Amino acid sequence: EQQYLTDCRNTIIQNTKQLYSDILAVDKKYGCFEKVYEPCTNFVYIKTADYQKIYEFMLENSIAVRKFNGYLRITAGTAEENAQFIAVLEKFFQ
């Protein structure tokens, strides 16, 4: 199943890069994050003073993210899941 695994890996990499790009676009639009770290795995790491509020808002909207003191970790999902995350994140800042 080598080709299947390669295809899966490529999809995960593509979805992670797109998620990162979309998060950067939100940051550019709202100036909301202190730092968005370029991913080297399947998640995007964000430094923000609003980490607790964003975390709670995401949970209220049925989206699970990980929180750490001052940081959020967003795991890349499918293209549809990532788009849903970005839509809810935009809603938070509006």
Side-chain angles (χ1 to χ4, degrees):
E1 303 297 330
Q2 189 66 31
Q3 186 59 50
Y4 174 74
L5 293 175
T6 299
D7 292 345
C8 288
R9 183 195 71 207
N10 291 339
T11 298
I12 291 168
I13 290 169
Q14 179 182 8
N15 288 347
T16 304
K17 287 180 180 181
Q18 185 62 53
L19 177 63
Y20 173 68
S21 175
D22 292 345
I23 290 172
L24 287 177
V26 170
D27 186 41
K28 184 175 182 179
K29 185 175 181 179
Y30 298 103
C32 46
F33 303 128
E34 294 173 46
K35 183 163 178 74
V36 180
Y37 295 86
E38 187 169 356
C40 57
T41 60
N42 68 328
F43 62 84
V44 179
Y45 205 59
I46 299 170
K47 182 176 183 179
T48 176
D50 291 330
Y51 76 98
Q52 183 67 37
K53 292 177 187 175
I54 295 170
Y55 172 79
E56 290 171 6
F57 188 78
M58 289 297 163
L59 284 181
E60 290 168 7
N61 287 275
S62 302
I63 296 177
V65 299
R66 304 252 343 199
K67 69 171 177 152
F68 304 92
N69 191 20
Y71 298 87
L72 293 172
R73 188 183 96 170
I74 297 89
T75 302
T78 65
E80 295 80 17
E81 290 167 337
N82 292 345
Q84 182 182 12
F85 168 80
I86 293 297
V88 172
L89 185 61
E90 287 255 2
K91 186 177 168 185
F92 175 83
F93 289 108
Q94 293 174 345

